[in-house]
């Protein structure tokens, strides 16, 4: 969670996809991605949504819980 705290859900999906591709580039027959693959993917995929927009999303989600 700490490594991806500023990432949107779509960006986390992209990190997972990238980690899978990295794992396959190391071994085409691999069955899973390692933590090192994920760390490399996080290094490549940077969050693109600003902190202020993330805050707006969180505020909206919290306001909907009260309804």
């Amino acid at each position: 969670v700490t490594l991806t705290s500023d990432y949107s859900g779509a960006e986390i999906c992209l990190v997972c996809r990238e980690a899978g591709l990295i794992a396959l580039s190391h071994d085409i027959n691999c069955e899973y991605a390692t933590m090192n693959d994920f760390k490399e993917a996080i290094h490549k995929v940077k969050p693109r949504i600003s902190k202020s927009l993330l805050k707006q999303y969180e505020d909206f989600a919290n306001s909907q819980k009260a309804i």
Side-chain angles (χ1 to χ4, degrees):
V1 174
T2 304
L3 295 175
T4 58
S5 62
D6 293 335
Y7 287 66
S8 69
E11 290 164 343
I12 290 174
C13 287
L14 183 57
V15 167
C16 293
R17 192 172 301 121
E18 184 67 25
L21 291 172
I22 290 168
L24 288 171
S25 73
H26 295 146
D27 178 4
I28 194 68
N29 296 314
C30 72
E31 296 182 13
Y32 56 87
T34 66
M35 186 57 158
N36 285 337
D37 297 327
F38 278 95
K39 287 180 179 178
E40 187 176 337
I42 289 169
H43 181 72
K44 287 184 174 183
V45 178
K46 300 297 180 195
R48 295 183 177 116
I49 294 179
S50 69
K51 289 184 183 203
S52 64
L53 186 55
L54 281 175
K55 173 101 172 74
Q56 287 178 351
Y57 288 149
E58 289 172 2
D59 291 345
F60 176 76
N62 290 333
S63 73
Q64 297 303 304
K65 291 178 185 176
I67 295 177

